[in-house]
Amino acid sequence: MSAETIALIVAAGKGERVGGDTPKQFLPLAGLSLVEHSRRALAAHPGIDRVVTVVAAGNEALVEGQTAIGGATRRESVLNGLEAIGAAGRVLIHDAARPIVPATVIDRLLTALDSARGAVPTLPVADTLAGKGAGKSDSLGDTVDRSTLVRVQTPQAFDYAAILAAHHAWPIGEEATDDAQILRRAGHDVAMVDGDQLLDKITYPGDIALAEARLGANMRVRTATGYDVHRLVAGEQLWLGGVLIPHDKGLSGHSDADVALHAITDAVLGTIAAGDIGQHFPPSDSRWKGAESGQFLEHAASLVVAKGGMIDFVDLTIICEAPKIGPYRDAIRDRVAALLRVSREQISVKATTTERLGFTGRGEGIAAQAVVTIRI
Ligand code: CTP
Ligand code: MG
């Protein structure tokens, strides 16, 4: 029997209460989809061996890593996922709609699981609770004693064999909104550990903005600059900001010599003090000969995300006498935004001449400088 600890994320819902065309779990939150936030947090925890994400058929490409296909209800999606896993020692079942997963909660769950078949994070209820629809449908019913109640969150941790058996024993035709109630119905105790407000579920429009604010609350702003120059020569293509621009000359260099992407890449690396582009992609390495510079920028951005940071803003200045950058401004914004997985509004592109002065003025080369702001 496998002793693996597996995290199972259910992401096969329609997100009807949030609304819109894209199910909420695929909406962006600080540069990553909701589901990718929790997937990374779970995958990064040393107590978790692998993560499987349950998605609706056809949505497999919207998530990274291993996937399974969901069902018509949350309960069915979990059951499909459990069966797809095949064998495991322990499983943590998590809603993709809860993007922020503190490692401390996972620690508490795994510890509690040493002496129980199931463990869930809970929080006390702060508001007064009451029934509704007493007499008239819009009048309040009796108050419920909140001291006997808790809010139950995910991830919920289980002995794999016990939760799988409990799902199989669940009565046909009944639904369950979580898995702890399914384990309890099978006669097992479920331990409670302290939950966390950060785990609150995204359910209604507006919840994402709140999650973004919570994510940002503990982050610091960092700003860094990047600068680069390449020589303009005949017979080369001119790549600027990931866009091929028609011109009688192009930039020469070891890679595609995209001076704008190089400046942005250096600025991104600067925000996490991760050295510079030459250190990560040495010109002496033949792998980078003629390479598309987009991959350098994507790599730098992935280092920021891996450290828990998010890219807020890029301000790029291209310094050249010709060509005119204005007609390509939005194409460059879109390309840089796609590489960084942010929106066009977060990318500013400016250009200036140097009044025919210096090497840029004489058309011998193009310079670029960038300022990048992140939160981490
Ligand atoms: N879920 C699922 N399969 C379903 C229904 C729900 O995997 N058939 C998942 C959702 O993707 C979500 C979690 O279960 O991560 C909790 O469900 P909920 O918050 O209700 O999400 P949705 O069902 O997508 O939203 P809504 O009820 O507003 O449509
Ligand atoms: Mg639902």
Side-chain angles (χ1 to χ4, degrees):
M1 208 183 84
S2 164
E4 271 188 317
T5 298
I6 296 180
L8 185 67
I9 303 177
V10 281
K14 294 198 171 80
E16 283 171 345
R17 285 169 289 179
V18 165
D21 295 334
T22 306
K24 60 187 176 185
Q25 59 271 28
F26 305 121
L27 292 174
L29 167 67
L32 283 181
S33 68
L34 252 61
V35 57
E36 186 57 13
H37 273 279
S38 61
R39 201 193 66 78
R40 288 188 186 198
L42 289 161
H45 194 280
I48 293 175
D49 298 305
R50 81 192 152 93
V51 182
V52 176
T53 307
V54 181
V55 293
N59 281 346
E60 295 90 329
L62 296 181
V63 295
E64 298 191 24
Q66 240 180 303
T67 55
I69 302 302
T73 64
R74 184 191 182 282
R75 182 188 58 77
E76 286 176 24
S77 292
V78 172
L79 177 55
N80 289 358
L82 289 172
E83 288 177 341
I85 289 171
R90 305 188 285 187
V91 62
L92 272 76
I93 303 174
H94 182 62
D95 292 333
R98 303 177 193 269
I100 314 175
V101 188
T104 46
V105 176
I106 301 175
D107 294 339
R108 293 197 277 269
L109 288 167
L110 292 177
T111 304
L113 210 53
D114 288 340
S115 47
R117 294 286 172 83
V120 297
T122 64
L123 285 179
V125 180
D127 295 317
T128 295
L129 291 179
K132 60 180 183 180
K136 284 189 291 170
S137 63
D138 61 350
S139 63
L140 192 67
D142 292 339
T143 300
V144 179
D145 180 7
R146 72 178 176 211
S147 69
T148 65
L149 300 174
V150 290
R151 294 163 54 200
V152 184
Q153 303 180 309
T154 78
Q156 301 187 346
F158 302 99
D159 174 84
Y160 175 77
I163 191 65
L164 182 63
H167 263 269
H168 285 150
W170 184 258
I172 294 166
E174 248 187 83
E175 271 320 320
T177 51
D178 77 344
D179 303 286
Q181 58 193 282
I182 293 177
L183 190 76
R184 288 192 68 251
R185 186 76 68 89
H188 296 291
D189 272 348
V190 174
M192 296 193 292
V193 305
D194 285 343
D196 197 311
Q197 251 185 5
L198 291 171
L199 275 168
D200 279 353
K201 188 157 71 74
I202 306 289
T203 305
Y204 300 106
D207 288 350
I208 294 192
L210 182 61
E212 198 143 34
R214 280 174 169 168
L215 260 185
N218 295 320
M219 291 181 154
R220 292 273 182 277
V221 173
R222 286 197 197 168
T223 300
T225 68
Y227 178 76
D228 196 26
V229 173
H230 279 278
R231 191 183 295 274
L232 268 174
V233 296
E236 292 277 0
Q237 292 185 318
L238 179 60
W239 286 94
L240 279 177
V243 174
L244 184 59
I245 297 181
H247 193 50
D248 59 350
K249 289 178 182 172
L251 291 170
S252 90
H254 192 67
S255 64
D256 65 10
D258 189 326
V259 69
L261 291 189
H262 292 183
I264 300 171
T265 302
D266 258 1
V268 170
L269 291 171
T271 61
I272 49 170
D276 56 34
I277 192 170
Q279 191 181 326
H280 290 266
F281 304 99
S284 54
D285 188 332
S286 60
R287 266 185 302 167
W288 314 124
K289 189 168 163 51
E292 261 186 60
S293 297
Q295 64 187 296
F296 304 157
L297 183 55
E298 277 183 316
H299 176 72
S302 76
L303 296 179
V304 172
V305 172
K307 283 185 178 285
M310 53 186 174
I311 291 167
D312 272 337
F313 200 74
V314 173
D315 186 34
L316 169 72
T317 305
I318 298 172
I319 303 153
C320 60
E321 212 61 41
K324 287 263 169 283
I325 302 301
Y328 304 98
R329 188 191 313 273
D330 281 342
I332 294 173
R333 293 173 74 201
D334 286 342
R335 181 69 190 134
V336 173
L339 290 166
L340 295 174
R341 298 193 173 93
V342 300
S343 65
R344 175 199 273 197
E345 284 61 45
Q346 291 166 278
I347 311 295
S348 152
V349 174
K350 313 197 297 294
T352 184
T353 68
T354 49
E355 300 283 324
R356 298 186 182 276
L357 294 169
F359 69 87
T360 51
R362 292 189 297 272
E364 294 165 9
I366 296 182
Q369 60 187 40
V371 177
V372 170
T373 305
I374 70 162
R375 270 178 294 165
I376 195 160

